[in-house]
Amino acid sequence: MAEIDKRITLGSMISTAASLAGMAVIFFTGVFWIGAQDQRIADHASRIEANATNIAALSERVRAIETISARQDERLLLILDTVRKIEAKLERTAK
């Protein structure tokens, strides 16, 4: 039958201390990693908000450009219509 040695030796103390130190390192590494993840999540959230603001601003700029473009198209059509009328008048007077 096996017996348990009840003596505390230097080797068992070193082994226990190393195990505790290893667990502490793993614990603190996990804590710092989770903290870093929270910071990264916060950074990404702020970037998403900034991107959403930029997208809204760009959307407004696109609408303004479309409006200006439509106005320029209307002006061009009016100019072309006026030129056609002038050409038609010149052709009638030339005959």
Side-chain angles (χ1 to χ4, degrees):
M1 192 163 171
E3 282 187 28
I4 297 175
D5 188 9
K6 297 180 182 178
R7 292 180 297 160
I8 297 176
T9 63
L10 179 63
S12 64
M13 286 192 294
I14 292 173
S15 175
T16 302
S19 296
L20 290 175
M23 287 188 293
V25 167
I26 291 171
F27 176 75
F28 286 115
T29 301
V31 168
F32 288 126
W33 183 79
I34 290 171
Q37 294 303 313
D38 289 342
Q39 182 62 39
R40 287 181 186 157
I41 290 170
D43 289 344
H44 287 298
S46 66
R47 286 181 187 173
I48 288 170
E49 289 175 16
N51 286 341
T53 303
N54 289 338
I55 288 170
L58 289 174
S59 177
E60 291 297 321
R61 288 182 67 191
V62 167
R63 282 191 207 118
I65 290 170
E66 287 174 346
T67 302
I68 291 169
S69 177
R71 288 179 187 162
Q72 289 175 346
D73 288 348
E74 287 295 321
R75 288 180 188 151
L76 180 62
L77 289 175
L78 288 173
I79 292 169
L80 289 175
D81 190 41
T82 304
V83 169
R84 283 188 199 117
K85 287 179 184 177
I86 293 170
E87 284 177 344
K89 216 177 223 188
L90 287 174
E91 284 179 5
R92 279 183 276 164
T93 57
K95 290 182 182 180

